[in-house]
Amino acid sequence: MEHTRLTVTLQSGHGTLARLAATLNNHAVLDLTYTTAPTNTATAVVCVTQSDALRAQHKLRRLVDVIDVTPIPASPGTAEMADVPHTRHPTGAPRP
């Protein structure tokens, strides 16, 4: 599955993570990590399908708390290296 990793730098505050999650609600999010720092900043790494990446990036840039959004495209077959959860059918075949 082709995906893109979006690294989002934010100003951490009350409700920042909730706004981030609400913004990404309509997109196929494969993985999300959120880390805060003592300087009231936060970093979110969002892994989305490549088809959703551009729209998600634009929506994230409009959030009041967002300082920067950096996309990093991943090539197919690198899901394991990107820490993207991988599920399989009971037969052992990968899901489409």
Side-chain angles (χ1 to χ4, degrees):
M1 172 187 306
E2 292 188 35
H3 61 278
T4 298
R5 179 177 286 172
L6 302 172
T7 302
V8 185
T9 306
L10 310 110
Q11 185 167 359
S12 183
H14 182 70
T16 302
L17 181 57
R19 282 190 293 281
L20 179 71
T23 299
L24 296 169
N25 186 41
N26 292 327
H27 301 288
V29 176
L30 305 171
D31 188 45
L32 183 137
T33 59
Y34 184 82
T35 315
T36 59
T39 58
N40 288 336
T41 60
T43 302
V45 179
V46 183
C47 191
V48 295
T49 59
Q50 196 166 9
S51 60
D52 281 341
L54 187 59
R55 184 73 181 132
Q57 182 179 350
H58 288 299
K59 287 176 101 177
L60 289 168
R61 286 187 187 277
R62 289 195 312 250
L63 279 176
V64 128
D65 300 326
V66 170
I67 298 167
D68 190 29
V69 179
T70 307
I72 303 169
S75 60
T78 59
E80 292 81 12
M81 295 185 340
D83 296 327
V84 176
H86 225 68
T87 57
R88 295 189 175 272
H89 286 286
T91 61
R95 286 193 165 182

